[in-house]
Amino acid sequence: MAVTALLHVFAVLMLAAHALTLLVSRAPRRVWWGWGSAAAGALAAVVPLAVLARRQSAQIAWIRHPTPGRLWAVVEEFAGPSALVLALNLLLITVAVVRPRWRSLTAVALPLFCVPPVLLFALALHRPCFHERYLLFALAGIPLLAAAGVDRLAGVVTHWRHAMEGRRHAVVGRRRAVVGRRRAMEARRRAVVGRRRAVVVAAGVLVVGCGFVWQLPLHQREREPLSRQDNLAALAAAVGRLTRPGEPVLYDPPKERRIAIAYPRPLAGLRDIALGTPGPASGTLYGVDVGPAELLRRLGGARSAWLIAADEPETRRAKATVLTGRFRLAYSLCLPSIRLEHYVRAGPQRRRE
């Protein structure tokens, strides 16, 4: 637990899930004592990292306060991706929870999936830090519960089949009292059971194979360039091709400086004219910008400026508002979730794409 939380500090929320597992399992006092000692040791190892992370919490200032819909989004992303898969998984999870065959598995998997998202959501109401990828450690609860549901349904079918076979063999046994015949029947029954087990194994392999084939197009699409929400490589190439060294560039919001972090070479010659305090000095990942008045002063002698902006409807494009006061849009390049725009003070309007 200590190693896991040192790699990802929010994973420490698993301890709360483990505590609930012990509670619903009615663990004896000695188990609580042993688990509590281990959990305290893990927390002691993680506390220094948590303190350091809190000092650098401004690096995730781009995360907004969550809404209850974000919790359902976690369920959809972890149990999806399609509506059919989501419905099937939720049905199997319901079977596993309502009629558990392995109570110990349910006691581990259900808190693992439910407790960390709820706790992180509650923490995010005070300090925004809720994101689905911060909860990937809790994803294992869903396939465990879905598998438990499949196992429960298979157990019901097997029990029903064995009951029917038992009645049939009882009738046959009363009719055939000869020991030799009963032994022969038992041997044939074992052979039939062996063949049925082979069929069950083959069916399981077939189901897994079909699931893989069904998911394969999704995996292939995920690895295509167009699947990325923000193609920073294409934007960096466009910036390098269209700009000249020394031209001013603005990032709106500051998070869009990630392109300069990921692909610094095409933007190395541009002047980040809106940057007030760099990231390391401000304790943030993308730095702190100057205000509108200072930005206008810095743009006083500029004849043009480039703007790299998030193409999101809910984003308030503050820098674009400043530019449109004294500049006009001459060129625009739209990429998935991001835009590259060129503003000039005067002259005829250029092409727009």
PDB file of all heavy atoms in Angstrom, residues 239 242-247 269-270 304 306:
ATOM      1  N   VAL A 239       2.486  25.592 -35.936  1.00  0.00           N
ATOM      2  CA  VAL A 239       3.101  26.796 -35.371  1.00  0.00           C
ATOM      3  C   VAL A 239       4.494  27.006 -35.952  1.00  0.00           C
ATOM      4  O   VAL A 239       4.874  28.128 -36.333  1.00  0.00           O
ATOM      5  CB  VAL A 239       3.162  26.680 -33.831  1.00  0.00           C
ATOM      6  CG1 VAL A 239       4.005  27.808 -33.249  1.00  0.00           C
ATOM      7  CG2 VAL A 239       1.758  26.729 -33.248  1.00  0.00           C
ATOM      8  N   LEU A 242       4.138  28.327 -39.611  1.00  0.00           N
ATOM      9  CA  LEU A 242       3.479  29.595 -39.891  1.00  0.00           C
ATOM     10  C   LEU A 242       4.104  30.801 -39.192  1.00  0.00           C
ATOM     11  O   LEU A 242       3.894  31.930 -39.628  1.00  0.00           O
ATOM     12  CB  LEU A 242       1.993  29.494 -39.474  1.00  0.00           C
ATOM     13  CG  LEU A 242       1.148  28.465 -40.231  1.00  0.00           C
ATOM     14  CD1 LEU A 242      -0.214  28.329 -39.578  1.00  0.00           C
ATOM     15  CD2 LEU A 242       0.992  28.851 -41.692  1.00  0.00           C
ATOM     16  N   THR A 243       4.829  30.575 -38.118  1.00  0.00           N
ATOM     17  CA  THR A 243       5.341  31.695 -37.326  1.00  0.00           C
ATOM     18  C   THR A 243       6.784  32.017 -37.678  1.00  0.00           C
ATOM     19  O   THR A 243       7.484  31.222 -38.304  1.00  0.00           O
ATOM     20  CB  THR A 243       5.246  31.382 -35.824  1.00  0.00           C
ATOM     21  OG1 THR A 243       6.041  30.220 -35.534  1.00  0.00           O
ATOM     22  CG2 THR A 243       3.815  31.124 -35.418  1.00  0.00           C
ATOM     23  N   ARG A 244       7.206  33.217 -37.226  1.00  0.00           N
ATOM     24  CA  ARG A 244       8.592  33.649 -37.395  1.00  0.00           C
ATOM     25  C   ARG A 244       9.193  33.929 -36.021  1.00  0.00           C
ATOM     26  O   ARG A 244       8.476  34.314 -35.088  1.00  0.00           O
ATOM     27  CB  ARG A 244       8.662  34.919 -38.252  1.00  0.00           C
ATOM     28  CG  ARG A 244       8.222  34.717 -39.696  1.00  0.00           C
ATOM     29  CD  ARG A 244       8.545  35.952 -40.528  1.00  0.00           C
ATOM     30  NE  ARG A 244       7.861  37.138 -40.020  1.00  0.00           N
ATOM     31  CZ  ARG A 244       6.666  37.532 -40.404  1.00  0.00           C
ATOM     32  NH1 ARG A 244       5.996  36.832 -41.305  1.00  0.00           N
ATOM     33  NH2 ARG A 244       6.128  38.631 -39.903  1.00  0.00           N
ATOM     34  N   PRO A 245      10.481  33.733 -35.842  1.00  0.00           N
ATOM     35  CA  PRO A 245      11.106  33.997 -34.538  1.00  0.00           C
ATOM     36  C   PRO A 245      10.863  35.428 -34.078  1.00  0.00           C
ATOM     37  O   PRO A 245      10.903  36.371 -34.869  1.00  0.00           O
ATOM     38  CB  PRO A 245      12.592  33.729 -34.806  1.00  0.00           C
ATOM     39  CG  PRO A 245      12.616  32.803 -35.982  1.00  0.00           C
ATOM     40  CD  PRO A 245      11.450  33.208 -36.834  1.00  0.00           C
ATOM     41  N   GLY A 246      10.600  35.578 -32.789  1.00  0.00           N
ATOM     42  CA  GLY A 246      10.385  36.887 -32.201  1.00  0.00           C
ATOM     43  C   GLY A 246       8.948  37.322 -32.152  1.00  0.00           C
ATOM     44  O   GLY A 246       8.612  38.319 -31.486  1.00  0.00           O
ATOM     45  N   GLU A 247       8.026  36.623 -32.836  1.00  0.00           N
ATOM     46  CA  GLU A 247       6.618  37.011 -32.808  1.00  0.00           C
ATOM     47  C   GLU A 247       6.008  36.670 -31.437  1.00  0.00           C
ATOM     48  O   GLU A 247       6.348  35.663 -30.826  1.00  0.00           O
ATOM     49  CB  GLU A 247       5.852  36.286 -33.914  1.00  0.00           C
ATOM     50  CG  GLU A 247       6.147  36.800 -35.308  1.00  0.00           C
ATOM     51  CD  GLU A 247       5.229  36.183 -36.345  1.00  0.00           C
ATOM     52  OE1 GLU A 247       5.203  34.939 -36.446  1.00  0.00           O
ATOM     53  OE2 GLU A 247       4.525  36.938 -37.034  1.00  0.00           O
ATOM     54  N   GLY A 269      11.385  30.087 -30.576  1.00  0.00           N
ATOM     55  CA  GLY A 269      11.708  31.453 -30.960  1.00  0.00           C
ATOM     56  C   GLY A 269      10.611  32.457 -30.696  1.00  0.00           C
ATOM     57  O   GLY A 269      10.810  33.662 -30.919  1.00  0.00           O
ATOM     58  N   LEU A 270       9.448  32.020 -30.228  1.00  0.00           N
ATOM     59  CA  LEU A 270       8.324  32.928 -29.995  1.00  0.00           C
ATOM     60  C   LEU A 270       8.409  33.549 -28.601  1.00  0.00           C
ATOM     61  O   LEU A 270       8.970  32.961 -27.677  1.00  0.00           O
ATOM     62  CB  LEU A 270       6.999  32.178 -30.152  1.00  0.00           C
ATOM     63  CG  LEU A 270       6.741  31.557 -31.525  1.00  0.00           C
ATOM     64  CD1 LEU A 270       5.423  30.817 -31.536  1.00  0.00           C
ATOM     65  CD2 LEU A 270       6.774  32.617 -32.620  1.00  0.00           C
ATOM     66  N   SER A 304       1.339  42.220 -34.736  1.00  0.00           N
ATOM     67  CA  SER A 304       0.523  41.012 -34.833  1.00  0.00           C
ATOM     68  C   SER A 304       0.815  40.131 -33.620  1.00  0.00           C
ATOM     69  O   SER A 304       1.792  40.361 -32.896  1.00  0.00           O
ATOM     70  CB  SER A 304       0.813  40.252 -36.134  1.00  0.00           C
ATOM     71  OG  SER A 304       2.155  39.781 -36.136  1.00  0.00           O
ATOM     72  N   TRP A 306       0.053  35.814 -32.157  1.00  0.00           N
ATOM     73  CA  TRP A 306      -0.534  34.489 -32.328  1.00  0.00           C
ATOM     74  C   TRP A 306      -1.217  34.075 -31.029  1.00  0.00           C
ATOM     75  O   TRP A 306      -0.729  34.344 -29.943  1.00  0.00           O
ATOM     76  CB  TRP A 306       0.526  33.456 -32.691  1.00  0.00           C
ATOM     77  CG  TRP A 306       1.087  33.650 -34.072  1.00  0.00           C
ATOM     78  CD1 TRP A 306       2.172  34.391 -34.424  1.00  0.00           C
ATOM     79  CD2 TRP A 306       0.571  33.095 -35.271  1.00  0.00           C
ATOM     80  NE1 TRP A 306       2.375  34.335 -35.783  1.00  0.00           N
ATOM     81  CE2 TRP A 306       1.401  33.541 -36.332  1.00  0.00           C
ATOM     82  CE3 TRP A 306      -0.510  32.269 -35.587  1.00  0.00           C
ATOM     83  CZ2 TRP A 306       1.187  33.187 -37.652  1.00  0.00           C
ATOM     84  CZ3 TRP A 306      -0.728  31.901 -36.903  1.00  0.00           C
ATOM     85  CH2 TRP A 306       0.119  32.361 -37.931  1.00  0.00           C
TER      86      TRP A 306
END
